Amino acid sequence: GASGFLMTDEEKEAYIDAVENDDSLISSMKHGTGEEWYEKTIALSVVKKIKENLEDNDIEVILTRRGDTYPTLDERPELANEEGAVIFVSVHLNSTLSEVTMANGVEVYYSTQNNDDELGVTSQELAQEILDCVIDATDANSRGVKSGNLLVNRKCMMPSALIELGFMNNPEELEHLIDED
């Protein structure tokens, strides 16, 4: 999974200066020297908040993991299928190949191979609704809804979506991603 490093004030100042004046420097910048954060940690924290919110609204939630475990990409949709889930949402965080990026924003994927409306909503409609709600709640940049042949979505027997909440190697976005609010 992805990880990102917080930057010191001085490192962040250099990053902001590069963004404002010469973004060609960004791809050669080194990551911050602050605390390292992992995708698995942030994603699980977000998922637990979603679970609590949904259960407060009398919606049953099944998690594919509750701690520091890593079910395979095959096992996740298999569990949803076995449990008869109505929808499936996979929560992730993005990153790029460079250590530091200006890339930012939220994107949601769905599979065209799993996009019928047998259960009253298509995977594409689910993905759009999720994106709209996240953007409304966070004011993050929208990178849109995209079709992709992603295993976890393709193997689901119900409408499914995979959300990328933001870029862990964008220092400003990482700060937002770890903020409890």
Side-chain angles (χ1 to χ4, degrees):
S3 70
F5 294 82
L6 293 175
M7 289 187 162
T8 64
D9 289 342
E10 186 177 284
E11 290 166 339
K12 191 169 174 193
E13 204 172 290
Y15 170 79
I16 292 169
D17 186 57
V19 169
E20 292 174 353
N21 299 309
D22 186 5
D23 64 10
S24 66
L25 292 174
I26 298 291
S27 62
S28 64
M29 290 185 82
K30 297 294 179 199
H31 63 66
T33 57
E35 184 178 3
E36 183 174 15
W37 283 83
Y38 297 95
E39 176 183 19
K40 64 182 183 177
T41 306
I42 298 171
L44 185 59
S45 175
V46 169
V47 166
K48 286 180 175 178
K49 291 176 189 300
I50 293 168
K51 180 180 188 291
E52 184 179 315
N53 184 286
L54 291 172
E55 288 178 342
D56 285 349
N57 288 283
D58 297 322
I59 298 169
E60 182 182 353
V61 178
I62 299 166
L63 300 181
T64 58
R65 70 183 187 97
R66 289 178 172 73
D68 197 7
T69 59
Y70 201 76
T72 67
L73 295 178
D74 280 311
E75 290 170 338
R76 297 168 195 211
E78 283 172 11
L79 175 64
N81 293 337
E82 288 168 10
E83 295 291 332
V86 177
I87 65 168
F88 177 92
V89 179
S90 191
V91 177
H92 297 267
L93 290 95
N94 231 333
S95 67
T96 62
L97 294 176
S98 61
E99 288 190 30
V100 179
T101 187
M102 286 174 43
N104 66 83
V106 179
E107 56 194 8
V108 184
Y109 290 87
Y110 71 96
S111 172
T112 56
Q113 295 177 349
N114 176 23
N115 197 37
D116 62 44
D117 64 355
E118 188 177 317
L119 295 174
V121 65
T122 66
S123 291
Q124 183 177 9
E125 290 167 339
L126 172 66
Q128 188 65 58
E129 184 66 25
I130 290 170
L131 179 66
D132 292 346
C133 289
V134 170
I135 298 305
D136 285 348
T138 65
D139 290 328
N141 176 44
S142 172
R143 295 174 61 90
V145 166
K146 302 171 181 183
S147 65
N149 193 22
L150 302 172
L151 181 70
V152 292
N153 291 346
R154 186 178 71 238
K155 288 201 163 191
C156 285
M157 297 172 64
M158 71 291 300
S160 67
L162 182 147
I163 182 167
E164 295 279 4
L165 290 173
F167 287 80
M168 295 196 71
N169 60 332
N170 176 320
E172 294 179 294
E173 195 148 75
L174 178 59
E175 287 181 6
H176 292 292
L177 290 167
I178 64 173
D179 186 317
E180 284 296 320
D181 292 332

